[in-house]
Every structure is written in C-alpha cells, then in structure tokens.
Amino acid sequence: FTDVHVVASQFDPDPAFPTVAFPNPEEPGAADALLTLADDIDADLAIALDPDADRCAVGVPTRDGWRMLRGDETGVLLGDRILDTASAGSLVATTIVSSTLLGRIADARGARFAQTLTGFKWLTRAGQGLVYAYEEAIGHCVDPDAVRDKDGIATAVVVADYAAELKATGRTLIDALGDLYSEFGVHVGDQVSVRVTEPTHIAAIMAKLRADLPRRLAGEPVTATDLLASEGPLHTDAVVVEGRTVRVVVRPSGTEPKLKCYLEVVERDGDRAAAESKLASLRHWAHTVSTV
C-alpha cells in the first residue's frame, strides 16, 4: 500500500500527546483528526494505533459520514476473514466481555471457539490450533504463530488487505459486516464505563448488584451468574446477566478505577430498531446500577 496519508500533527512522537485528551483511540474524540483527514482526502480506510501500537482501531466511511468501528465489529470481521482460509477445526477465541457473534461464526464455519477471561495472557493460551483472538478493547492477535499477543501493526496490514479485497469487488467493510448480520442476526453493543474517585466504591457497587440481581432487563426475563462464585476457568469478579436477546457483563476494570458494563443485544430477525431500543434500555440500567 503506497497511497498512505498521516495526520501531520500526530506523526512526530511526543510523550505529552498534546493533540488528544487521552492517547487511546477508544476514547471519544481521540480519532477526530484522523477521521477529518480521511474525509478530506476521500480515503478508503482510516487506522489509528495506540502509543505502543498493540491496539488497532479502524475507521470507515458510511452513508452518515466517517466513524470508528467498535472493537467487536472489527473483531468479527477479522475472525470471519481469517477463518475463510484457515484449516477445518481451527480455533478462534475472545473474552467474556466481547460479542457473542464470533462463537456463532466459528460454529457455522466448522471451527472451534473458546471464551476466556479478559487479557491476552488468557486469550493466547486458549488452546492448540489458535488462528485468531481478539478482545473488544481493540486488541487483535491476527497471526499467533508470529506474535502471540495483540499486535496493532499486523492487524493494520490484515485490515487494509481485507478492505482492498472488498473494494476490488465494489464492496466495503460495512457491507461485509452487514453480511454477518444477515446471516447471524443484528448484534449491537456498547460499553458503559464509570470512573470513581474512591476505589472502595467499586466494591460497594458490586456488592449492591449481587444483593439485588436483576430479574428483567429491556422488557425480558434474565438470569444472572456470579463468576466470583464459579470454580472454573472463568472465575473472576464479574456478574453476567443474560436473557433471550440481551447480555450484560459487569466487572471492575483491572487497570483503572472504573466499573465497566459491557452490553449486547442480538436480534436474530434483523430488527435493528428493536435492538437499538433495547440497547438504550441497557445503557440506562447500567448507569443506574453503577452508582453507590
């Protein structure tokens, strides 16, 4: 790829990262300058890496303008792409807080699927025959035999190759994502992250949730599983709440004073409006439950 443009104000290394509030392309506004450049030059693809280049965020043009893909969106696109040329029975993996779609793709493609705790120290140990692993926090392991960890540089190359292949047939990454939703149902997700000033507040919030686990969310009955009470490989400080179409995972961040709620709605009949409505309901619940 030779027709490459960079954001000039962000190209020279500067440990103060003066152009963004926080140098993580997951953060709102962090990729604004990138998307402005992509729009100005009519690009096909926009790519942002974090400072140590182990995470890769992808921006794409849509009918409503440029936007960054969520980690789960990039994750399932790359998972399906890699399984397309992988041998039968290959293994793909993601974490308990990521979308459930990769598991459905693996089952349909004759592959194996593993779910682990968050972090690549778990993902890269998911099992023999691993060909791809990702977590929703824009971390992707696209070539485990070469780099058995998340690798933003390798991911950028694979994404660019996929986008170029699609463009040659008049299609885009958004089209490929739409194909997955047509096959497996609309999957929409979000994350509600609440920063606290007192670390003890997180323990108090988790205790309050465990004392009053929800029985209904977004208008449907749900069941809750406390992974802290689990003795298996998914033993961790987290609560998983699941219904017919909704799923929520609530857990403390492992690196910051934050409580995180990971939300997903799956509408198998493709009703995006219904999915978005339920997702809004889950967001409201997450904000409510995340207060001391």
Side-chain angles (χ1 to χ4, degrees), residues 201-213 237 239:
H201 288 173
I202 293 178
I205 293 169
M206 293 300 294
K208 183 181 73 170
L209 172 62
R210 289 183 167 106
D212 187 21
L213 294 171
D237 185 6
V239 172

Side-chain angles (χ1 to χ4, degrees), residues 186 188 265 267 271-281 283:
V186 171
V188 297
V265 178
E267 288 289 347
D271 191 340
R272 176 169 286 275
E276 294 289 354
S277 177
K278 290 179 182 179
L279 188 62
S281 179
R283 285 193 199 99

Side-chain angles (χ1 to χ4, degrees), residues 188-210:
V188 297
D190 200 0
Q191 181 193 131
V192 172
S193 181
V194 179
R195 185 178 293 273
V196 300
T197 55
E198 294 292 335
T200 55
H201 288 173
I202 293 178
I205 293 169
M206 293 300 294
K208 183 181 73 170
L209 172 62
R210 289 183 167 106

Side-chain angles (χ1 to χ4, degrees), residues 20-72:
V20 293
F22 192 78
N24 180 343
E26 282 187 290
E27 296 290 323
D32 284 358
L34 170 69
L35 296 183
T36 297
L37 173 64
D39 188 51
D40 288 344
I41 65 173
D42 193 25
D44 296 307
L45 187 69
I47 293 175
L49 306 183
D50 65 347
D52 60 353
D54 63 351
R55 299 173 192 268
C56 177
V58 179
V60 294
T62 73
R63 292 172 181 165
D64 300 319
W66 280 82
R67 75 170 179 90
M68 301 303 290
L69 294 177
R70 297 181 62 254
D72 280 322

Side-chain angles (χ1 to χ4, degrees), residues 113-130:
F113 171 72
Q115 191 179 60
T116 75
L117 297 178
T118 56
F120 274 80
K121 66 180 180 180
W122 304 111
L123 280 171
T124 56
R125 295 177 174 88
Q128 295 295 319
L130 182 69

